[in-house]
Amino acid sequence: MAFEHDTVLLEQTIDALDVIPHGVYVDCTLGGAGHAKYLLSQLNAQGHLYAFDQDIEAIRNAEQVLADEIAAGKVTLIHDNFRNIASALSKQGVKYVAGIYYDLGVSSPQLDHGERGFSYRAEAPLDMRMDQSASLTAHEIVNTWDFNDLLRIISRYGEERFAKRIARAIERERDNQSIETTTQLAEIVKEAIPAATRRTGGHPAKRTFQAIRIAVNDELGAIEESVEAGLKLLSVGGRMSVISFHSLEDRMVKQLFKEASATPELPPNLPVLPAEFEPEYQVINRKPVVASDEELEQNHRARSAKLRVIERVTFKE
Ligand SMILES: C[S@@+](CC[C@H](N)C(=O)[O-])C[C@H]1O[C@@H](n2cnc3c(N)ncnc32)[C@H](O)[C@@H]1O
């Protein structure tokens, strides 16, 4: 099946890294390899890209679309969760890198290949695993998690105001029969929310599906671990750029960058800031970069994209 993904904020994400042609870079979310291809076009024979994806289909696709760069020894594909960035790079003998980027969330093929179970529109078994070898599936969450856990994820990760009604409806339905498919779940969610609100704010199941997907893949946990580890891997002058697609991701990235770039508590009455109090990181753009009107016209996925960038300015033991 075709693997087509329209890359979001292509130049902005890579150009923000101030690419050095001989530098070592990390793509944490290879997907359709759009960002990777553009970055690789700026590297010379000494430069290298390590590219992660936990989805084996993305890795197989990249073996084809990056065949020339692989043959030239400019890229290494790593089938792993980006939360393992430090250990996976250490296995490759890499200690520091010049830049790291993330384009979070799901790829278009994950949504469009209905059988993956991410889409409320395509009839499929409840799956939603980005990593096909992981054990937790949407089926297990929907059919076995207790009411309080369902309520927690639907309200926290879906920011769904009718989370209680939806969690109850799931519980009621599975007492009768197990919930097997995406469309069955979408129908339960739709029926659970008040009729008057069904016509506003997109498909009624959108937020619940987002919540279950985030839980299946522990998306926020992986981002937190990976960004923290990735910041430590940057050499001085090295940059990290992150594109997020919903407020939970963006809030987490903003907070992690804020903590990394904060000035520590200072003793009173200091005439100048001693070097040891200077933060190791500096946020490059206080306001996130968003897509231009032109990009928005061509790619609706770009609507919610927000790009944040941070630089390592010094190194402390
Ligand atoms: C939005 S797509 C990336 C698209 C890519 N930048 C492009 O230009 O084609 C996100 C990709 O990241 C992968 N991904 C998401 N979370 C991941 C994680 N924790 N570890 C590894 N890969 C992950 C997904 O499987 C998906 O293929």
Side-chain angles (χ1 to χ4, degrees):
M1 208 177 301
F3 196 103
E4 274 165 32
H5 177 88
D6 286 332
T7 299
V8 170
L9 295 170
L10 172 67
E11 284 98 357
Q12 294 93 323
T13 305
I14 302 303
D15 294 350
L17 297 174
D18 270 350
V19 176
I20 319 164
H22 58 272
V24 173
Y25 289 87
V26 186
D27 180 332
C28 281
T29 50
L30 178 63
H35 287 106
K37 195 111 188 131
Y38 179 63
L39 179 117
L40 281 160
S41 72
Q42 300 179 37
L43 297 187
N44 65 24
Q46 280 74 50
H48 200 85
L49 177 68
Y50 292 91
F52 287 77
D53 207 297
Q54 60 178 334
D55 183 343
I56 193 66
E57 283 182 12
I59 298 286
R60 299 234 165 93
N61 174 67
E63 284 166 355
Q64 315 271 316
V65 297
L66 299 179
D68 290 347
E69 292 88 346
I70 294 170
K74 281 172 77 176
V75 57
T76 305
L77 305 179
I78 303 178
H79 178 220
D80 201 346
N81 193 306
F82 60 52
R83 74 191 322 152
N84 302 321
I85 182 170
S87 57
L89 290 180
S90 164
K91 272 191 210 145
Q92 302 283 339
V94 178
K95 215 169 157 203
Y96 292 106
V97 299
I100 302 175
Y101 57 94
Y102 300 79
D103 174 14
L104 296 170
V106 281
S107 66
S108 305
Q110 285 167 338
L111 281 176
D112 299 343
H113 297 181
E115 77 283 359
R116 300 291 301 267
F118 286 99
S119 169
Y120 39 77
R121 295 184 204 283
E123 168 89 4
L126 281 167
D127 189 328
M128 302 197 199
R129 288 170 302 168
M130 287 192 201
D131 173 356
Q132 296 89 336
S133 66
S135 56
L136 182 62
T137 62
H139 186 275
E140 183 175 335
I141 291 181
V142 169
N143 286 288
T144 69
W145 282 21
D146 70 20
F147 171 79
N148 285 323
D149 286 335
L150 288 175
L151 174 60
R152 176 177 56 80
I153 62 165
I154 298 170
S155 90
R156 196 179 294 170
Y157 300 158
E159 299 182 290
E160 169 61 70
R161 65 186 160 127
F162 301 113
K164 214 177 231 175
R165 288 173 178 240
I166 295 168
R168 282 251 178 277
I170 290 174
E171 227 186 11
R172 221 177 299 122
E173 179 70 19
R174 72 192 191 194
D175 279 348
N176 292 332
Q177 54 169 343
S178 69
I179 303 167
E180 294 296 327
T181 67
T182 44
T183 45
Q184 203 184 340
L185 176 63
E187 196 52 34
I188 295 166
V189 175
K190 189 173 143 204
E191 290 300 317
I193 68 173
T197 59
R198 279 180 214 157
R199 283 177 294 275
T200 56
H203 192 286
K206 189 173 162 200
R207 282 184 290 273
T208 300
F209 270 61
Q210 170 181 300
I212 296 172
R213 191 201 90 201
I214 291 175
V216 166
N217 298 290
D218 184 22
E219 292 181 29
L220 298 170
I223 296 169
E224 185 171 16
E225 266 180 51
S226 186
V227 168
E228 279 180 353
L231 288 171
K232 295 196 186 113
L233 291 164
L234 290 177
S235 45
V236 172
R239 288 189 174 186
M240 175 186 285
S241 42
V242 186
I243 313 174
S244 59
F245 287 91
H246 55 76
S247 53
L248 296 164
E249 284 174 347
D250 184 55
R251 246 180 273 148
M252 171 160 286
V253 175
K254 185 177 169 190
Q255 183 59 26
L256 289 166
F257 281 12
K258 194 172 158 195
E259 284 166 20
S261 59
T263 310
E265 245 349 90
L266 294 175
N269 308 325
L270 281 182
V272 282
L273 190 66
E276 69 263 33
F277 288 108
E278 267 169 33
E280 276 185 279
Y281 301 89
Q282 189 183 342
V283 170
I284 299 299
N285 52 339
R286 293 267 152 217
K287 284 226 151 77
V289 175
V290 294
S292 64
D293 291 344
E294 200 187 337
E295 179 170 2
L296 289 175
E297 248 170 57
Q298 286 163 16
N299 187 357
H300 77 278
R301 236 189 113 249
R303 256 178 320 174
S304 47
K306 287 190 176 155
L307 169 67
R308 294 188 184 271
V309 186
I310 193 167
E311 177 176 327
R312 183 170 213 162
V313 286
T314 180
F315 188 89
K316 291 184 193 164
E317 281 303 329

